[in-house]
Each structure stands twice: as structure tokens, then as C-alpha cells.
Amino acid sequence: MNQTVANLTDDLNSKAPMISLTISTLFSIMFLIGVIRMAYALVTKTGMVLKGSTGILIGVPIFVLTIRLFFIISFTTTESEIPQLVTDVMNLLIKSAFYAAIGMLFIGLLMKLFHKFLNHPEYGRWSKRLFIGSSSLIALTAIMPIVLRSI
């Protein structure tokens, strides 16, 4: 049994560069197809093609980054480091949401200023939506860590 596992491991290790290159090439081709479809959609003003190509162009880099981070994290963390990793990720999300809420608040104030100067109703609606989004994001940022830690 040990010899069979060792042979399978050696076989997999010898094919790993080829598998990695094949997967990278596949994702690169998918990204290029997304770029071509985006150009086609912009020229022909086709909404469904534009939506699909946007999904490809956003999804492929996120998927590649997620796969790479998964393997890095799974091979470098030990069982005792997992709670600290979860805490660090939660703190990163809290701080990111806090800064996003501050950015939304400032953009809402800018939209309110545009509404005052131009008296355009869209700027007023956008500023209200940004204020509501900012306040709800701050509330969720304050409440959700307490809820998640108590689970």
C-alpha cells in the first residue's frame, strides 16, 4: 500500500507543472474570450453579451486568485493557526467595510452638494441611497462581529 501511494504521489508531482500550465492557459483563453466578447458587445450594443463578458472578466481573475490563495493557505497553516487566521480575516473585513462606509459617506456628501448646486433630482436620490448604504454598512460592521463571535 505504501509503495502504491508513493508511486501515485511521484506521478502527480511529475505532472504538476504540466497541470498548472494547462490550467493557467485555460484561464488565459477564457479571459481573452471575455475581452473579445466585450468588444463585440460594445460595438453591437448587445446587453446579454455585455453582461456575460463582464461576468467572465470579473470572475476569471477572482477565481484564479481564490485558487492560488486556497492552496497557499491550506499548505502553510497548521491547525493551531486557524482561529487566528479567521480572526485576521474578520478584522480585515471589518476595517474594509468601515473605510468603504466612510467613502460612501463622502461621495454622498458630494452628491448632496451637486444636488444643491444643480437642483437635479437624481443627485438627491443618489445621495440618500449612499447615506442609507453607509449607515447600514456601519451598523452591520458594528453588529455582525459580535454575532459571529457568539456563535
Side-chain angles (χ1 to χ4, degrees):
M1 182 69 177
N2 289 338
Q3 186 64 29
T4 306
V5 171
N7 287 340
L8 287 174
T9 304
D10 290 338
D11 189 41
L12 185 63
N13 285 337
S14 67
K15 292 182 181 180
M18 184 190 67
I19 292 170
S20 175
L21 181 66
T22 305
I23 290 173
S24 297
T25 304
L26 179 68
F27 283 128
S28 298
I29 289 171
M30 286 175 58
F31 191 79
L32 289 174
I33 289 172
V35 169
I36 292 168
R37 288 185 66 188
M38 177 68 77
Y40 170 77
L42 291 175
V43 169
T44 61
K45 308 283 191 226
T46 308
M48 289 203 43
V49 177
L50 181 67
K51 183 179 177 184
S53 64
T54 305
I56 290 173
L57 290 176
I58 291 172
V60 167
I62 290 174
F63 189 68
V64 169
L65 183 68
T66 304
I67 287 174
R68 299 218 179 203
L69 283 176
F70 170 74
F71 283 116
I72 289 171
I73 290 171
S74 65
F75 288 128
T76 58
T77 56
T78 60
E79 191 174 325
S80 62
E81 295 172 345
I82 291 175
Q84 182 64 35
L85 181 66
V86 171
T87 304
D88 289 343
V89 169
M90 188 183 302
N91 287 335
L92 173 71
L93 291 174
I94 289 169
K95 297 210 187 236
S96 299
F98 180 69
Y99 288 126
I102 290 174
M104 288 170 66
L105 185 67
F106 284 140
I107 293 171
L109 289 172
L110 184 67
M111 291 292 165
K112 190 66 147 175
L113 182 68
F114 287 163
H115 177 66
K116 293 287 184 189
F117 285 145
L118 302 174
N119 202 16
H120 194 280
E122 280 295 315
Y123 290 124
R125 285 193 284 271
W126 289 343
S127 67
K128 286 178 189 175
R129 290 176 188 156
L130 284 168
F131 290 149
I132 291 170
S134 175
S135 60
S136 63
L137 192 58
I138 288 173
L140 285 174
T141 304
I143 294 170
M144 286 311 292
I146 298 167
V147 170
L148 289 176
R149 284 186 183 124
S150 67
I151 291 178

